[in-house]
Amino acid sequence: MNMAVNLGGISMNNPVTTASGTFGFGLEYQPYVALQRLGAIIVKGTTLKPRLGNPPPRIAETPSGMLNAIGLQNPGVERVAEEIMPRLAALGVPVIVNIAGDTVEDYAQVARRLDSVPGVAGLEVNISCPNVKKGGIQFGSDPYTAAEVTRAVKASAGLPVIVKLSPNVTDLVTMAEAVAGAGADALSMINTLLGMAIDVDRRRPVLGNITGGLSGPAVRPVAVRAVWQVHRALPLLPILGMGGIMTARDALEFILAGATAVAVGTGNFVNPRATLDVVEGIEQYMIDHGFVDISELVGLAQRYPNKE
Amino acid sequence: MSQLVQAEITDCREPAPGVWVTEFLAPSLAQAAMPGQFLHIRCGEGSDPLLRRPISIHSVDRLSGRMKIMFQVVGKGTAWLAGRRDGFLDIMGPLGRGFTVFTGEQASHNYNRFIVVGGGIGAAPLYFLLQEIARAGHAQRVKVLLGARNAHQLLIPDAAEELGFAVRVATDDGSAGHRGLVTDLLAEELQRKPDYVYACGPSPMLKVLCAMLNDAGVPGEVSVEERMACGVGACLSCVCRVKDANGMEIYRHACVDGPVFSAGEVIW
Ligand SMILES: Cc1cc2nc3c(=O)[nH]c(=O)nc-3n(C[C@H](O)[C@H](O)[C@H](O)COP(=O)(O)OP(=O)(O)OC[C@H]3O[C@@H](n4cnc5c(N)ncnc54)[C@H](O)[C@@H]3O)c2cc1C
Ligand SMILES: Cc1cc2nc3c(=O)[nH]c(=O)nc-3n(C[C@H](O)[C@H](O)[C@H](O)COP(=O)(O)O)c2cc1C
Ligand code: FES
């Protein structure tokens, strides 16, 4: 049976990775997960300079989901390159660094710094973080700037570039086409949905940052739809699907909709072994249903579309 | 090293209105656990509530492998937990950095007189600390101060006395011990220059307590609460503002750098 996939130039032994920001820099989950068994590890959003992030409270739970407003807290690209990557590189698993910035030039500089760092297998370009004032979502809601960021990152690094899209736009397909045209090797979707919760007893917003990004099972239908639509429009561009994956069956929804690989995010918090459970569950599904190569499943549900 | 276990529930009781103690069998956790550490517990089988709930370790019996948690019902997760009479709990732990327990030479020479201060449900993790102090043979050196709204809500005074500790209590309504705040009792005790203070309780109490310790020049440790998602340092949600060695303000993570911080470093 073949579980290996190629995500826009990144070879993964299986299609399961970790969603940025939910798996730290990889090592935090080592007591629970044999990291070598993951298809890849995607680490926390990394910026040019260290970032402190937003004031607490940074999370709130909502029905079958959570809101977060971490605000891209990270030690900066220099420390990631010097201190963190050497430890991750030793694992022998492809490591994808999620990058963010305030300006197009920031993205380019972070990409340049990471280009020759051993162990970095690819870059995931976050143009969709809802929790920072500058950068983030602002780049991800306008096709022109999204393409500009993509081009700048492509020009700054020889690494495969995955562009992470936001669901907080009216026309996701246009965004996907724009970044694909600018050279993206793959797409990641979805980032969190902009949301908010209010503490009724105290009559004020729950989060320190007022609004936050919604993730978890509550967003899965939105994410599956996003993958479906974009895969339909751009069937040759590999997609990394994520949003509310807790089990193998959840992951299979994404693959059947057209995702080449999947990432587990919030699910890690609930079940620290979720990634491995998904790998094993997909294997079992393939055995049970007689599939020999995971690629047979990618986009399979598109063959039986309902009336449109 | 922290683990993921399925722990069989062996007992469940309600020692005070709305406060529950659940006992379960978890030998490997019991071996590894230190006072002040917490467990990250799945409260429910489905996706609502979704996230685990952090609950401190209340007591440990390393010989039998039994552990207890003591918790207050405040919302969905804790209500679900209070409803468990048998079956298994899905637990990650032990997590975080707990209290410093002084033993041997250090306890005899530098740190002789201790005060342990618990406010409300904050008494829960302190019982495990008291167990360890008693085990090390230092119960006579410790004064335990407990505060609650009323006599019914006072937790662990009898259990602490049984371990050999001197206990003083304060209640808001005066239904037991001193009428007023537990920090009033602390003010008296600070006159006698204790060497070290441990505390857990609501934030307003800890804020006052840290200021008092600071003024008195007495070192100590407090256990803080922050909202947590992962419990292992991966999501960066549980930030707590502290002063670093140079007095600079930085964020640290309650789940891995705490929940116990030194009283002088927390910025309230
Ligand atoms: C390290 C640590 C150890 C803890 N140990 C204990 C313990 O031993 N016993 C105990 O009773 N409680 C303890 N708590 C608090 C406990 O985690 C919360 O009461 C619990 O998560 C609430 O879950 P819920 O689903 O019942 O409430 P929810 O429905 O999630 O929330 C109900 C209300 O509880 C409050 N709340 C929610 N999460 C927290 C939180 N993390 N901290 C404080 N308040 C919160 C909010 O104000 C909210 O309005 C601890 C918290 C931490 C961080
Ligand atoms: C706590 C938290 C932090 C996150 N941080 C980042 C980040 O730094 N960069 C990024 O691109 N996405 C970040 N995300 C978004 C996730 O990578 C993912 O796209 C989203 O959570 C949807 O997947 P899920 O429902 O499985 O969590 C974060 C999500 C959470 C919950
Ligand atoms: S709870 Fe995730 S970092 Fe502390």
Side-chain angles (χ1 to χ4, degrees):
Chain A
M1 191 168 57
N2 182 29
M3 290 275 280
V5 299
N6 186 306
L7 183 68
I10 302 165
S11 309
M12 298 166 53
N13 284 334
N14 66 62
V16 182
T17 179
T18 59
S20 174
T22 66
F23 212 70
F25 283 100
L27 303 162
E28 292 82 352
Y29 275 100
Q30 220 161 13
Y32 308 97
V33 178
L35 300 173
Q36 298 79 355
R37 300 215 32 220
L38 299 174
I41 296 175
I42 303 188
V43 298
K44 178 67 191 167
T46 297
T47 51
L48 194 54
K49 299 268 164 52
R51 271 175 105 125
L52 211 51
N54 290 327
R58 288 181 173 184
I59 56 159
E61 193 170 319
T62 55
S64 299
M66 66 177 275
L67 290 164
N68 89 78
I70 308 298
L72 289 181
Q73 179 185 339
N74 79 93
V77 70
E78 199 49 49
R79 275 189 59 199
V80 170
E82 288 293 319
E83 293 168 33
I84 296 169
M85 277 315 300
R87 284 153 70 198
L88 282 176
L91 296 170
V93 175
V95 176
I96 299 167
V97 181
N98 180 276
I99 66 172
D102 291 345
T103 63
V104 175
E105 182 49 29
D106 277 3
Y107 281 94
Q109 260 179 277
V110 177
R112 222 172 285 137
R113 179 65 187 89
L114 290 168
D115 196 25
S116 54
V117 174
V120 178
L123 302 175
E124 183 183 50
V125 185
N126 179 1
I127 52 166
S128 41
C129 180
N131 294 323
V132 291
K133 288 205 184 64
K134 281 198 283 178
I137 184 100
Q138 191 184 303
F139 291 105
S141 29
D142 172 38
Y144 180 79
T145 36
E148 202 186 349
V149 174
T150 308
R151 255 191 307 273
V153 172
K154 276 302 284 182
S156 309
L159 294 162
V161 171
I162 309 169
V163 177
K164 186 160 177 179
L165 300 181
S166 167
N168 305 314
V169 295
T170 26
D171 188 356
L172 196 60
V173 170
T174 303
M175 292 298 303
E177 283 166 350
V179 299
D185 299 293
L187 300 175
S188 227
M189 63 181 80
I190 55 172
N191 208 319
T192 52
L193 281 111
L194 191 57
M196 156 167 204
I198 292 176
D199 183 331
V200 173
D201 295 316
R202 296 160 72 209
R203 291 173 286 279
R204 54 162 123 147
V206 174
L207 295 174
N209 198 47
I210 300 180
T211 60
L214 183 65
S215 65
V219 311
R220 199 169 67 236
V222 176
V224 173
R225 178 271 296 169
V227 171
W228 173 280
Q229 285 181 330
V230 172
H231 181 67
R232 231 178 155 61
L234 300 164
L236 297 180
L237 196 62
I239 295 173
L240 175 64
M242 70 191 81
I245 296 175
M246 309 271 288
T247 66
R249 293 187 74 81
D250 300 343
L252 283 159
E253 277 197 64
F254 284 84
I255 295 171
L256 293 168
T260 295
V262 291
V264 178
T266 303
N268 293 305
F269 306 157
V270 181
N271 169 15
R273 271 187 47 89
T275 43
L276 296 190
D277 288 354
V278 170
V279 174
E280 286 160 18
I282 294 175
E283 265 166 1
Q284 192 58 50
Y285 179 91
M286 288 173 64
I287 293 169
D288 292 349
H289 295 88
F291 290 97
V292 291
D293 194 310
I294 185 86
S295 66
E296 295 168 60
L297 289 168
V298 176
L300 196 55
Q302 301 259 5
R303 279 215 240 141
Y304 307 98
N306 296 324
K307 287 190 220 86
E308 291 210 350
Chain B
M1 181 123 106
S2 60
Q3 318 155 36
L4 181 66
V5 303
Q6 303 298 318
E8 188 180 358
I9 297 173
T10 49
D11 193 26
C12 173
R13 52 189 72 208
E14 190 178 11
V19 175
W20 291 80
V21 172
T22 301
E23 184 193 67
F24 48 85
L25 204 52
S28 56
L29 287 187
Q31 285 308 320
M34 300 295 287
Q37 286 189 303
F38 69 94
L39 306 174
H40 216 23
I41 305 178
R42 180 110 190 243
C43 295
E45 287 93 16
S47 64
D48 191 17
L50 178 67
L51 299 173
R52 287 168 182 270
R53 300 296 191 256
I55 304 283
S56 300
I57 301 167
H58 174 56
S59 86
V60 170
D61 180 351
R62 294 205 169 85
L63 277 181
S64 69
R66 281 167 210 269
M67 301 176 76
K68 289 180 187 164
I69 49 171
M70 175 187 260
F71 59 94
Q72 194 157 33
V73 173
V74 299
K76 261 192 236 171
T78 45
W80 181 89
L81 205 54
R84 295 309 99 193
R85 298 288 175 277
D86 48 30
F88 289 82
L89 287 180
D90 179 328
I91 303 177
M92 284 168 77
L95 297 173
R97 285 158 54 143
F99 294 107
T100 313
V101 181
F102 299 98
T103 51
E105 286 282 287
Q106 231 189 346
S108 327
H109 297 302
N110 308 337
Y111 298 100
N112 239 311
R113 291 161 30 76
F114 299 90
I115 298 183
V116 174
V117 188
I121 191 68
L126 296 175
Y127 182 71
F128 184 17
L129 175 67
L130 296 180
Q131 280 188 311
E132 292 293 293
I133 293 175
R135 208 162 65 105
H138 300 313
Q140 316 81 339
R141 303 175 177 191
V142 179
K143 181 89 47 95
V144 178
L145 312 178
L146 298 171
R149 256 179 294 142
N150 56 52
H152 300 297
Q153 293 289 341
L154 267 175
L155 304 169
I156 78 164
D158 300 342
E161 273 175 2
E162 271 166 39
L163 288 176
F165 291 90
V167 179
R168 292 183 69 188
V169 301
T171 50
D172 296 353
D173 65 356
S175 53
H178 167 77
R179 177 197 288 267
L181 301 173
V182 70
T183 42
D184 301 343
L185 301 180
L186 177 66
E188 285 172 28
E189 297 293 338
L190 282 176
Q191 312 266 311
R192 279 168 243 167
K193 285 276 162 215
D195 297 310
Y196 209 78
V197 175
Y198 299 100
C200 184
S203 299
M205 172 195 124
L206 294 181
K207 178 178 176 168
V208 170
L209 179 135
C210 285
M212 290 169 71
L213 295 192
N214 206 20
D215 290 347
V218 174
E221 287 175 337
V222 296
S223 179
V224 304
E225 271 191 21
E226 294 295 341
R227 281 163 181 271
M228 295 184 177
C230 72
V232 298
C235 72
L236 311 183
S237 66
C238 61
V239 283
C240 175
R241 270 198 315 152
V242 300
K243 281 185 277 245
D244 72 2
N246 308 317
M248 288 273 289
E249 277 191 34
I250 52 164
Y251 280 140
R252 297 232 270 150
H253 295 279
C255 68
V256 285
D257 304 318
V260 175
F261 289 98
S262 107
E265 73 184 323
V266 183
I267 300 169
W268 295 95

